[in-house]
Amino acid sequence: MAPQNLKVEVISEGTVIDHIPRGNWLKVVEILGLTESNSGTLLIASNVPSKKLGRKDIVKIEGRHLTEEEVNKIALIAPKATVNIVEDYRIVEKFTVEVPDFVEGILRCPNPRCVSNHEAVSPKFHVVSRDPLKLRCHYCERTVEGDDILKNL
Amino acid sequence: MDKTDWIGRDVVSMRDFSKEDIEFVLDVAEALEDELGKKGSLDYARGKILATLFYEPSTRTRLSFESAMHRLGGSVIGFSSASSSSVKKGESLADTIRTVERYSDVIVLRHPLDGAARLAAEVASVPVINAGDGSNQHPTQTLLDLYTIRRAFGRIDGLTIGLLGDLKYGRTVHSLAEALAFYDVELYLISPEILRMPRHIVEELREMGVEVHESTNLEETVPKLDLLYVTRIQRERFPDEEEYMKVRGSYQVNAAVLRNAKESLKVMHPLPRVDEIHPEVDGTGHALYFDQVFSGIPVRMALLGLTLGVL
């Protein structure tokens, strides 16, 4: 039987992001800025059966290796994602996305009265809980969770 | 812990305080109050300058910080409304702080935006003390409340405490409740249904081992209490006028309500009050709210002295 990932064409060089929660692939693509015309071919698989998640999305990016900062960005919407770096059709590096203790400059504080939305300062959040994901704004101390995280990325 | 741990420290949020920190500040405040009582004035902060930056109006907080600094022998500069400063010309908070820190040794800030004090503390090289940032924190109020309780009862542990009024929007009761959770207390949360304490705070209190009861009935609850902490229902925090009108004047602490109270019951209020406490309570042994106002002096003296490193 063919393995799941063969449902989408194998890439020769690039990054495979697996275990994205179902329906979040577009958000991943947007956060990573992969909608630009010069960012290489994207291969998307959505609603793929998964032992871990029930259903999952997979994004394959040809010709691009993710940096650690980019990985942190998607950790907020795909906390269980695994990232495979592919060279010459082989996986040369594999790592799990980890939600960091502290998130800076990725999401905006949803509180309109937060000083971070009024002064020239990079928004910062402390991770209060990983599952479910809950963040606390470093400045206004409000907690952000669920859809409010997605909406403010 | 000793006094050197406090030199240059910012006082931004009660979240930064451990129980040990709280007790230490209260001990220092108590010693200063006694010393001030004996000597009349002190000179620990001679030659030091406090800048009070008040972007929002305040009577008690600003005057008590200024009084505390004078009582310590220091001096004070500052402004009491944004319209009388360069803010009106569009200066950013960060720039104002960078300017003022060059004129002063410690900054006290009240600002309408949530998180303003945290930002100021990051920018400033001198200590910043938060005197209220929007609807977020007002840590010196919490410390002076705890100080008042300890002075009145000789302890905080073992007390049954009622928090009354706007428990949903009131920042004072949120941070007081969280600080009380360090102690062995039983809490009664008394409010109209729509102004109940946010769920995450109630959960947090229970997780910290506090026995929490929620009620809408003040008269039934009063007899159980050692202390009743009353807050104003703040019109300005309500999203719409209609909701405010529904709960306005829901509760009033008066002689009739206190008829079945313990004789030793104390009533506190951060002030200003509107009609939550009838003036007929003022002359009774229950009223603690004017002593509470005085607590602002020793507690703020302690924080100024500690962060300046002059004690």
Side-chain angles (χ1 to χ4, degrees):
Chain A
M1 194 182 87
Q4 282 305 343
N5 59 0
L6 289 186
K7 281 193 173 168
V8 178
E9 193 179 328
V10 177
I11 58 172
S12 63
E13 168 97 24
T15 307
V16 178
I17 309 168
D18 199 354
H19 300 110
I20 299 166
R22 184 181 64 85
N24 280 1
W25 68 265
L26 182 58
K27 212 76 198 174
V28 167
V29 167
E30 279 171 2
I31 289 167
L32 298 179
L34 302 174
T35 48
E36 304 296 317
S37 59
N38 59 356
S39 64
T41 305
L42 293 181
L43 300 164
I44 312 292
S46 189
N47 214 20
V48 180
S50 158
K51 276 184 203 144
K52 258 207 252 179
L53 302 175
R55 295 274 171 172
K56 66 176 180 181
D57 291 354
I58 304 169
V59 172
K60 300 187 180 193
I61 309 128
E62 236 173 11
R64 178 161 169 188
H65 293 187
L66 285 184
T67 66
E68 196 185 328
E69 203 195 347
E70 287 168 323
V71 170
N72 283 352
K73 286 185 188 182
I74 67 160
L76 296 181
I77 54 157
K80 292 184 175 128
T82 48
V83 180
N84 301 302
I85 306 294
V86 178
E87 275 173 24
D88 199 16
Y89 296 101
R90 284 206 320 266
I91 294 172
V92 293
E93 201 186 337
K94 186 170 184 139
F95 50 92
T96 318
V97 160
E98 271 182 34
V99 180
D101 293 334
F102 192 70
V103 179
E104 181 171 350
I106 293 166
L107 102 148
R108 222 168 38 84
C109 182
N111 172 11
R113 300 294 299 158
C114 178
V115 74
S116 66
N117 290 316
H118 297 263
E119 293 266 327
V121 60
S122 153
K124 302 178 187 75
F125 292 84
H126 302 271
V127 175
V128 184
S129 132
R130 288 183 162 76
D131 197 11
L133 187 60
K134 207 189 237 183
L135 312 173
R136 175 178 292 120
C137 175
H138 174 69
Y139 293 101
C140 76
E141 306 190 352
R142 297 276 179 92
T143 50
V144 196
E145 52 192 315
D147 277 356
D148 277 339
I149 294 178
L150 289 180
K151 277 189 252 162
N152 289 284
L153 282 166
Chain B
M1 170 171 307
D2 64 39
K3 288 172 181 168
T4 56
D5 295 332
W6 286 81
I7 301 173
R9 185 169 160 175
D10 301 304
V11 179
V12 170
S13 165
M14 284 310 292
R15 285 183 195 280
D16 305 335
F17 275 71
S18 64
K19 182 177 181 180
E20 201 192 356
D21 290 332
I22 293 172
E23 292 284 313
F24 188 79
V25 171
L26 303 191
D27 289 345
V28 171
E30 211 165 289
L32 282 171
E33 183 181 337
D34 292 346
E35 198 183 344
L36 185 66
K38 283 185 198 123
K39 296 184 183 165
S41 69
L42 305 174
D43 62 0
Y44 290 114
R46 186 190 299 267
K48 298 289 184 186
I49 297 174
L50 160 68
T52 52
L53 311 186
F54 277 68
Y55 290 75
E56 269 191 336
S58 149
T59 309
R60 267 157 296 276
T61 307
R62 184 172 61 83
L63 292 180
S64 76
F65 263 113
E66 295 187 355
S67 171
M69 190 60 178
H70 288 303
R71 295 272 192 226
L72 279 175
S75 35
V76 181
I77 58 171
F79 56 80
S80 56
S81 81
S83 59
S84 63
S85 68
S86 283
V87 178
K88 218 182 166 185
K89 301 174 190 159
E91 183 170 58
S92 71
L93 174 63
D95 281 3
T96 303
I97 296 293
R98 285 187 193 104
T99 303
V100 171
E101 69 169 338
R102 287 165 167 83
Y103 302 151
S104 59
D105 302 293
V106 57
I107 294 173
V108 169
L109 175 73
R110 167 166 291 189
H111 197 278
L113 291 175
D114 303 341
R118 183 73 69 191
L119 175 67
E122 284 177 351
V123 170
S125 54
V126 301
V128 171
I129 301 177
N130 185 4
D133 60 323
S135 61
N136 185 33
Q137 286 269 339
H138 191 2
T140 64
Q141 177 71 47
T142 302
L143 290 166
L144 78 86
D145 288 343
L146 296 171
Y147 184 79
T148 309
I149 298 171
R150 213 176 74 164
R151 272 300 223 194
F153 292 90
R155 65 193 161 91
I156 297 173
D157 286 320
L159 297 177
T160 301
I161 300 173
L163 304 177
L164 171 71
D166 175 5
L167 307 186
K168 183 177 179 185
Y169 299 109
R171 70 177 169 204
T172 307
V173 281
H174 296 169
S175 61
L176 178 61
E178 284 165 341
L180 285 171
F182 283 128
Y183 296 87
D184 175 25
V185 295
E186 194 173 339
L187 287 185
Y188 281 85
L189 308 178
I190 314 149
S191 70
E193 198 60 46
I194 60 165
L195 292 178
R196 284 170 71 188
M197 184 77 86
R199 290 305 88 194
H200 71 272
I201 298 181
V202 175
E203 280 163 30
E204 209 174 308
L205 295 172
R206 289 195 169 126
E207 276 166 26
M208 287 180 78
V210 181
E211 200 175 317
V212 182
H213 313 270
E214 291 182 274
S215 169
T216 54
N217 191 323
L218 174 62
E219 284 180 42
E220 265 176 25
T221 314
V222 161
K224 299 173 184 150
L225 305 176
D226 299 309
L227 173 70
L228 176 62
Y229 194 102
V230 185
T231 60
R232 182 166 63 94
I233 294 182
Q234 302 175 85
R235 181 188 222 128
E236 64 272 23
R237 305 269 183 235
F238 276 78
D240 68 82
E241 186 75 7
E242 200 185 330
E243 232 188 61
Y244 170 72
M245 295 310 277
K246 273 191 235 158
V247 293
R248 194 183 68 153
S250 304
Y251 300 104
Q252 189 189 49
V253 178
N254 52 33
V257 167
L258 294 179
R259 205 176 37 231
N260 296 318
K262 288 181 189 171
E263 209 184 310
S264 58
L265 170 80
K266 297 292 181 197
V267 178
M268 289 173 67
H269 191 302
L271 305 180
R273 66 173 157 179
V274 183
D275 51 9
E276 314 82 45
I277 302 179
H278 193 282
E280 70 193 11
V281 180
D282 297 359
T284 71
H286 299 304
L288 195 58
Y289 30 93
F290 294 113
D291 289 343
Q292 188 181 352
V293 169
F294 173 72
S295 298
I297 300 294
V299 167
R300 288 171 176 137
M301 283 170 72
L303 291 168
L304 290 167
L306 286 169
T307 57
L308 283 167
V310 296
L311 295 180

